[in-house]
Each structure stands twice: as structure tokens, then as C-alpha cells.
Amino acid sequence: MEGKEEDVKLGANKYSERQPLGTAAQTQEKDYREPGPAPLFEPGEFRSWSFWRAGIAEFMATFLFLYITILTVMGVKRSDNGSDGVCTGSVGIQGIAWAFGGMIFCLVYCTAGISGGHINPAVTFGLFLARKLSLPRAVFYMVCQCLGAICGAGVVKGFMESEYELDGGGANVVAPGYTKGDGLGAEIVGTFVLVYTVFSATDAKRSARDSHVPLLAPLPIGFAVFLVHLATIPITGTGINPARSLGAAIIYNKDHAWDDHWIFWVGPFIGAALAAFYHVIIIRAIPFKSRS
């Protein structure tokens, strides 16, 4: 035993930590460049085609996201109600979760190089709090995301209006047996998981280290959406995306779709703010590094 302990001590001295802990990590030479904070307001953005192109990309991505996912939800409800004369089975909750997570994976992969692939006002809000984008761009993204969600849900209703009304239009509501507090908590924690994953997957340090793996960022983000849906579909139908909830509620437009609608804005925004605080202040300690 004594010999083994000596080997362990020798190994610890010979192979020291490549990433020091505590304050030493703040002064270590980096092999990556930490991007500076985005300006709060940059008038020049409005004259840039990339600004408008990014908004269009967010609109189209959210449009496609709502179109595919609402169709999936409707298909499951039709099968469960026995009203589908063609399909004999249903993908169930797992299939809905895969549809949401898979679409996020595809759309983030397609639009990350154009707009950052937010597709969610809560993600945009969290990144804005972390100073990853300016206020005009954040507001513009949110508007485009909401418009895209409304159009995506509207196209589904236009194609199959009677089924859309019958199957609830994919609108988010707190399920019977759960309180508003339950729904709010589910939305806060679910959005925290998503936005924290976004921060981690797009971290400058990780991007530099794993730049040879182009799927690394979209994959965990899509998988986080999948897992959160598995956990919270029975509670709220899973919002964690205010644009998704707004688009479905506006097009469906029934009283019960609006009763708890505030939960699907307040919850995601609180969860996104907590995730931004946790990543920037606790995990990366960026404000403390900037002082050194």
C-alpha cells in the first residue's frame, strides 16, 4: 500500500493540472479569444444586410419549427382519440419530444452561422443578458421569432382547420391536476436546462477546443429540448419557448389557451435569466476575470 501511495504522489507531481483551479485559471495563457461584450446599442447594425438576413433566418426557422411540431402533436392526439383512419399507432409523448428536439437540432445546425440559431425568445433574452448581442438585435430576433411562430401555426390551421380546432392546435395549457405554480416551476427549470446547455455548447473555450466537431453545439441543444419535453409534456405541454406558445395560442384563440398564457412567458424568461447568471457569474466568472 505504501508503494502505491508513493506512485500516486509521484504521478500528481509529474502530471499537474493543465487547467489550474481558482484564481490561477484567470491568469493562465489562453489558446482561445474571449469575445468582448456586445454593445447595448449599435446604430450601424441597421445598415448591415447581415442584421436583416439574421432576422429572416430566425423567422423561417421558427416557422418551420411550429409547422412540424404542431403537426406531430395533432397526429398523436388524433391517433389517441381513435379518429385517424389511416394510422394504427401513435408516436406518443416520446415521438413529440423527438420532433421538438430533432427540429431544434436541424434548425440550429442550419442557422447557427447566420443568426446564432436562437429560435426562441428565451434563448435570445438569456444571451442578451450575457451581453452576447445588442438590444436592437435581441428585440428584432424576438419579433421575427414570434411572427414566424404565428405563421407556422397559421399554415397548419389553413391546411386542416377542422382537425386543428378539434385537437387543440398545440396550445400550451397547465394540465388538470397541476397548479399554476407547478406549471411555472416546470417552465423555469426546463428553460434553465435549455439555456444553460446553449451557453455551454457555444462557449468560446469549448468552441476553440472542439472546432473540428461541427455538430457539437446543435446536438446537445436539441437533446436538451428532447429531455425537457419528456419531463414536462404531462404538466404544461412544454413551452420553454414563448414564441412557440404565443403562435399556437393566437391561431387557436380559445379562452382556456389564454388562461395560463403568462406562465409561458414569465417562466422561460426567469429560467433564461438564471441560466445566464449561473454561466457567466458562477461557471465562467467572467466579471471577476475582467478585473484581473
Side-chain angles (χ1 to χ4, degrees), residues 28-184:
Q28 185 189 27
E29 238 180 87
K30 301 175 183 177
D31 59 352
Y32 68 97
R33 182 173 177 272
E34 190 80 59
L40 185 63
F41 185 79
E42 190 173 5
E45 281 189 315
F46 299 108
R47 297 190 298 272
S48 170
W49 167 239
S50 65
F51 176 83
W52 302 102
R53 181 184 65 178
I56 294 170
E58 288 293 310
F59 172 89
M60 283 302 301
T62 317
F63 169 86
L64 295 172
F65 179 61
L66 265 288
Y67 178 76
I68 295 297
T69 54
I70 288 180
L71 279 177
T72 304
V73 171
M74 289 173 56
V76 170
K77 289 191 174 182
R78 290 182 68 196
S79 296
D80 291 346
N81 293 334
S83 58
D84 193 342
V86 178
C87 298
T88 58
S90 169
V91 295
I93 288 179
Q94 293 87 351
I96 294 175
W98 275 120
F100 277 88
M103 277 303 291
I104 288 296
F105 167 71
C106 294
L107 294 170
V108 170
Y109 178 79
C110 292
T111 60
I114 302 170
S115 65
H118 298 188
I119 322 169
N120 184 337
V123 171
T124 300
F125 180 66
L127 293 173
F128 166 71
L129 292 181
R131 301 293 302 276
K132 301 292 186 183
L133 69 165
S134 66
L135 178 60
R137 185 175 289 265
V139 173
F140 183 48
Y141 277 17
M142 291 182 191
V143 171
C144 291
Q145 290 156 1
C146 290
L147 291 176
I150 293 168
C151 292
V155 168
V156 175
K157 183 176 180 179
F159 284 165
M160 46 189 73
E161 184 170 358
S162 59
E163 292 88 348
Y164 185 90
E165 298 290 346
L166 182 64
D167 296 329
N172 289 118
V173 296
V174 177
Y178 294 96
T179 67
K180 287 180 171 57
D182 296 334
L184 182 63

Side-chain angles (χ1 to χ4, degrees), residues 175-252:
Y178 294 96
T179 67
K180 287 180 171 57
D182 296 334
L184 182 63
E187 290 296 305
I188 291 173
V189 177
T191 311
F192 179 92
V193 171
L194 169 60
V195 178
Y196 178 41
T197 304
V198 170
F199 274 111
S200 299
T202 59
D203 186 272
K205 189 175 186 179
R206 185 185 299 272
S207 298
R209 186 188 68 193
D210 300 317
S211 59
H212 60 289
V213 189
L215 296 181
L216 196 66
L219 184 59
I221 294 170
F223 202 64
V225 171
F226 165 70
L227 293 174
V228 171
H229 275 75
L230 281 183
T232 60
I233 282 176
I235 304 173
T236 61
T238 309
I240 68 171
N241 184 334
R244 172 259 185 276
S245 300
L246 179 67
I250 286 179
I251 300 302
Y252 184 56

